[in-house]
Amino acid sequence: MITNQGYIFLIFILNGILIGLLFDVFRILRKTFPTKDFITYIEDILFWIITGILVLYSVFRFNNGEIRLYMFVAILIGVISYMLLLSSHIIKINVHIINFIKKVVGKILNIIIKPFKSFFGFLSKVFIKPFKKLFFKMRLLFANISKKLYNTSKKNQKTAKN
C-alpha cells in the first residue's frame, strides 16, 4: 500500500514537471513570436485544458479515479522543482534555438523571394509604369477639358440671363 502511494506520488511529481515544461513551451512561444492579447488568452485557455486533461488522465490511469491531497502536493513539488532547477535554462536554450531558426528561415525565404521580386519589378517597369503615366496624363487632359466645359457653360448661362 505504501509503495503504491510512493509510486503514485512520484507519478504526480512527474506530472508537475510536465506541467512546468508545458508552461515553459507557452512562455518560449511568447518570447520568440510576438502575440496579441487575444492569442495570449487562447494560449492560456489551451494550457489549462491540456493541464486538466493530463491531471485527470493520471488520476484515472494510476489511482483509479481517487483524488488524494498528496497528489496535488506532489504536482506542486514537481512544478516548483522544475521552475527552480530547469526552467530558466530551458527557456534560454530554446529561445536561442528558435531565434536562430527564424534567422535561417528568413534568409532562405529572402533568397527564394528575391528572383520573384526582381521579375515583378521588371514587369512593373515594362508594363505598369507606362500605363500609369498614360492614365495620369489622360486624367489631367479630361480634368482640363471638363474645367473648360464648366467655365464655358457658366459664361453661356450668364449671357443667356442678360
Side-chain angles (χ1 to χ4, degrees):
M1 179 82 170
I2 292 180
T3 57
N4 188 31
Q5 288 178 350
Y7 171 73
I8 292 170
F9 191 77
L10 288 176
I11 294 291
F12 282 93
I13 287 176
L14 290 175
N15 271 340
I17 292 170
L18 284 174
I19 290 169
L21 185 63
L22 180 65
F23 184 70
D24 276 351
V25 166
F26 287 105
R27 286 173 56 186
I28 290 165
L29 288 174
R30 288 181 190 160
K31 284 187 177 205
T32 54
F33 300 103
T35 56
K36 296 183 179 183
D37 288 342
F38 179 72
I39 302 297
T40 302
Y41 299 143
I42 291 173
E43 288 175 347
D44 288 344
I45 291 168
L46 188 62
F47 167 77
W48 285 110
I49 288 171
I50 294 171
T51 300
I53 290 171
L54 176 68
V55 170
L56 284 175
Y57 172 78
S58 297
V59 166
F60 282 104
R61 173 79 169 96
F62 299 106
N63 205 27
N64 299 322
E66 295 179 18
I67 297 176
R68 304 282 184 216
L69 180 64
Y70 70 89
M71 292 178 199
F72 295 106
V73 171
I75 290 172
L76 189 63
I77 289 171
V79 169
I80 291 172
S81 300
Y82 172 81
M83 290 296 175
L84 292 175
L85 299 174
L86 299 173
S87 180
S88 62
H89 303 296
I90 292 203
I91 289 175
K92 283 179 189 176
I93 291 169
N94 285 308
V95 166
H96 287 300
I97 289 171
I98 291 173
N99 284 333
F100 176 75
I101 291 171
K102 280 173 48 177
K103 283 181 186 178
V104 169
V105 168
K107 288 182 181 183
I108 290 171
L109 287 177
N110 281 337
I111 291 169
I112 292 171
I113 292 173
K114 194 170 187 173
F116 292 106
K117 280 185 179 179
S118 299
F119 178 70
F120 288 120
F122 171 75
L123 287 178
S124 173
K125 285 180 185 176
V126 171
F127 293 109
I128 296 173
K129 281 190 179 179
F131 288 115
K132 274 186 177 178
K133 288 181 182 179
L134 177 68
F135 288 129
F136 180 72
K137 287 182 181 180
M138 287 176 62
R139 189 175 60 128
L140 286 178
L141 178 67
F142 287 126
N144 286 336
I145 291 171
S146 66
K147 192 175 188 182
K148 287 180 183 177
L149 288 173
Y150 178 74
N151 288 338
T152 56
S153 69
K154 277 207 163 195
K155 285 181 186 177
N156 290 339
Q157 286 176 355
K158 284 183 181 179
T159 56
K161 285 184 181 180
N162 291 335

